[in-house]
Amino acid sequence: MMLITMDGCYLIDRSFNFRRVQMRFPCRGSNDGLAEKTHHYTLLDGEMIIDTLPDSQKQERRYLIYDMIAINHVPVIERPFYERWKMLEKEVIEPRNQERHNTYQSRNPYYRYDLEPFRVRRKDFWLLSTVTKLLNEFIKKLSHDADGLIFQGWDDPYVPRTHEGLLKWKYPEMNSVDFLFEIDDDRQSLFLNERGKKRLMEGSRVAFRDGSDPLLYSGKIIECSWDLNEQEWVYMRTRTDKSTPNDVNTYKKVMRSIKDNITQDILLNEIYEIIRLPMYADRIKNDSKAHHHFGAARRR
């Protein structure tokens, strides 16, 4: 999350560590010069990604905002998602872009946006009817990794913690579990989290197919995918952003997803059926904002 105040801008991780970053967020509606007002107590929800620029192969950090919880002291969690998403662009992104554009053109800028630690933009969401195009074209062109799709209710309020109405579809081979990995005398142990305690996964092993030494990962949270053919866990990456493994219940859900094996074709057929429903067609026609918008899913 990102908390913007007059006194500074803070990134907040899942363990509630605050980290101050040098960013500027002017408010909308000021004249062309320096915005008299900047955001104060605006709280955003988003994710940090690393884009590899196609031309130079240079890597660049970007913060993608996908939701807003409060703007200038005012909570917006009860408003429908589409309103919050529109406000993000109008109140947070546009004033910033406008001011940045103006300062670039001035000979003696009062603020150097190019020195900020990362770029900021709003995460894109699309109508359900564009899913085929997204899967076939857009995801391939993305300059960062995506492991599936997120389906977000167009009218939903902001729901903290686990939102049961938010659907996530992953490519079957991307379904993964975060374990705590420990190794002792060549004996591997994989742990999950159960009511705040470590729970050992009996008889589970993980294959490090990149040839690296398992000892390097002892005590770390590792993300693993399940290889159906080999019937084994395969190391994907180390989760430096997490301090605890997945919960047992999360593990059960992931195992169910793996068993369900919902492929891209199954997904597209289901969506095709939904789009043909009269209530969906009417909704699009009526207010040109459809019931479900969604974005390319990041690894969460």
Side-chain angles (χ1 to χ4, degrees):
M1 290 189 160
M2 182 187 274
L3 175 65
I4 308 163
T5 74
M6 264 170 358
D7 316 304
C9 178
Y10 301 88
L11 291 177
I12 311 163
D13 69 12
R14 13 175 132 222
S15 314
F16 279 95
N17 296 313
F18 280 66
R19 178 171 176 170
R20 193 165 191 264
V21 286
Q22 178 54 54
M23 306 291 283
R24 185 175 152 76
F25 286 91
C27 284
R28 183 169 70 98
S30 60
N31 50 27
D32 284 348
L34 171 62
E36 306 87 79
K37 284 166 73 177
T38 57
H39 278 263
H40 190 43
Y41 283 101
T42 292
L43 183 60
L44 309 174
D45 196 351
E47 58 198 357
M48 190 69 77
I49 55 147
I50 297 181
D51 271 340
T52 305
L53 305 177
D55 304 331
S56 58
Q57 291 302 300
K58 226 180 71 189
Q59 293 198 313
E60 196 176 73
R61 278 181 189 279
R62 284 218 168 103
Y63 182 69
L64 303 188
I65 311 167
Y66 44 68
D67 218 328
M68 168 149 52
I69 297 146
I71 175 164
N72 293 319
H73 278 286
V74 182
V76 289
I77 49 176
E78 296 299 330
R79 299 203 184 184
F81 173 72
Y82 67 87
E83 272 188 32
R84 300 195 304 275
W85 195 61
K86 271 191 201 145
M87 280 172 77
L88 268 175
E89 194 65 23
K90 241 189 163 45
E91 307 289 340
V92 180
I93 302 293
E94 275 177 16
R96 225 179 105 81
N97 288 349
Q98 224 167 352
E99 191 184 80
R100 187 173 66 216
H101 181 70
N102 292 342
T103 57
Y104 273 157
Q105 293 179 327
S106 88
R107 279 224 303 279
N108 156 10
Y110 49 81
Y111 183 74
R112 296 264 317 259
Y113 274 97
D114 55 314
L115 294 179
E116 290 185 338
F118 50 84
R119 309 277 296 265
V120 177
R121 69 175 178 84
R122 181 179 67 159
K123 188 177 175 110
D124 293 324
F125 284 78
W126 292 271
L127 291 176
L128 260 188
S129 45
T130 58
V131 176
T132 316
K133 205 174 158 126
L134 265 178
L135 285 170
N136 294 338
E137 298 171 28
F138 181 78
I139 286 188
K140 293 187 176 70
K141 288 198 197 107
L142 261 186
S143 41
H144 55 268
D145 294 334
D147 58 7
L149 301 170
I150 297 245
F151 295 87
Q152 159 78 49
W154 201 215
D155 299 314
D156 286 359
Y158 179 86
V159 181
R161 301 175 70 100
T162 305
H163 178 7
E164 296 300 344
L166 195 77
L167 292 177
K168 181 164 182 178
W169 172 81
K170 283 184 167 189
Y171 295 102
E173 69 279 8
M174 289 284 195
N175 275 305
S176 62
V177 175
D178 302 327
F179 294 108
L180 167 62
F181 178 75
E182 287 179 7
I183 195 159
D184 184 30
D185 292 341
D186 270 355
R187 218 185 64 231
Q188 289 191 8
S189 307
L190 291 175
F191 297 95
L192 290 168
N193 193 5
E194 186 170 35
R195 290 194 286 276
K197 293 195 177 66
K198 277 160 60 170
R199 165 164 161 188
L200 177 67
M201 296 295 297
E202 297 288 350
S204 289
R205 285 184 65 81
V206 57
F208 294 88
R209 294 187 178 163
D210 56 0
S212 58
D213 180 358
L215 274 169
L216 294 171
Y217 303 99
S218 193
K220 295 194 159 65
I221 308 289
I222 61 171
E223 183 176 348
C224 303
S225 60
W226 179 251
D227 185 325
L228 263 170
N229 301 330
E230 298 292 326
Q231 291 284 302
E232 66 180 2
W233 290 104
V234 181
Y235 170 81
M236 289 168 75
R237 63 192 186 122
T238 306
R239 292 295 300 250
T240 49
D241 60 324
K242 293 180 86 168
S243 47
T244 50
N246 276 149
D247 192 78
V248 173
N249 293 320
T250 307
Y251 166 80
K252 285 178 183 157
K253 281 185 192 166
V254 173
M255 292 316 285
R256 208 176 78 202
S257 291
I258 291 170
K259 212 171 81 230
D260 289 345
N261 196 21
I262 295 175
T263 60
Q264 185 168 317
D265 292 346
I266 298 171
L267 179 77
L268 290 174
N269 285 332
E270 288 290 329
I271 288 172
Y272 180 66
E273 294 297 316
I274 294 169
I275 299 168
R276 290 169 54 206
L277 294 172
M279 70 178 234
Y280 191 82
D282 288 350
R283 177 71 197 263
I284 293 181
K285 205 166 65 222
N286 288 349
D287 54 12
S288 79
K289 44 181 193 279
H291 209 63
H292 275 79
H293 267 51
F294 62 89
R298 264 298 280 152
R299 304 207 167 111
R300 296 294 290 268

